[in-house]
Amino acid sequence: YGFSHASSVKANGNLVYISGQSGGLGKEHLLSSDFREQVQIALKNLTTVLDSYRLKPENVMKVTLLIVDHSSEKLKIWEEEVRKTWKNKPFPASTLIPVTKLAIDGMLIEVDAVAFQPIK
């Protein structure tokens, strides 16, 4: 289903808390009405934040998904897209929370994360 039941870390490092990333493009936060496109952009936005800490998706220990009007079809889309981002790496622990509305009209998904940054 695109998640692990638990994840743990056995090393010294920092936890990086990543605010909810939406499917909005650019500073204007342009939102497509297409759920898959918003998922793809939210995952790209998450990856951009991870890159700024020199981290990769496999450093993410936990994600929380907020999905407007959640359905099995939307979950299938999430699973397909998250596999492209995580490739063959272990998925993080995950919680999905169905919601009726998010912060901005037209926002269909929000993904926050906690990542582990090892001390080198």
Side-chain angles (χ1 to χ4, degrees):
Y1 294 108
F3 72 95
S4 293
H5 287 284
S7 59
S8 63
V9 176
K10 294 181 184 178
N12 292 328
N14 300 306
L15 293 176
V16 179
Y17 293 87
I18 301 169
S19 294
Q21 301 299 302
S22 76
L25 275 173
K27 292 181 181 180
E28 299 82 20
H29 203 77
L30 300 174
L31 292 162
S32 168
S33 61
D34 181 69
F35 181 74
R36 183 179 299 273
E37 188 172 337
Q38 283 201 30
V39 170
Q40 291 167 340
I41 294 167
L43 287 167
K44 183 177 183 282
N45 292 341
L46 176 63
T47 301
T48 298
V49 175
L50 290 168
D51 286 346
S52 73
Y53 284 87
R54 295 188 174 112
L55 298 173
K56 299 186 181 293
E58 55 264 30
N59 292 102
V60 174
M61 305 302 296
K62 171 81 167 76
V63 295
T64 302
L65 312 170
L66 303 169
I67 296 179
V68 173
D69 299 325
H70 170 64
S71 66
S72 59
E73 179 181 318
K74 287 181 178 179
L75 181 58
K76 183 177 184 229
I77 290 169
W78 167 259
E79 291 170 1
E80 291 168 359
E81 296 303 326
V82 79
R83 287 182 193 286
K84 294 175 187 175
T85 300
W86 260 260
K87 299 181 174 63
N88 292 320
K89 306 294 184 192
F91 293 117
S94 175
T95 299
L96 188 155
I97 303 171
V99 297
T100 57
K101 184 172 171 49
L102 289 166
I104 299 171
D105 287 341
M107 207 167 135
L108 302 175
I109 187 167
E110 187 170 357
V111 182
D112 76 16
V114 179
F116 181 74
Q117 183 181 46
I119 295 175
K120 295 181 180 185

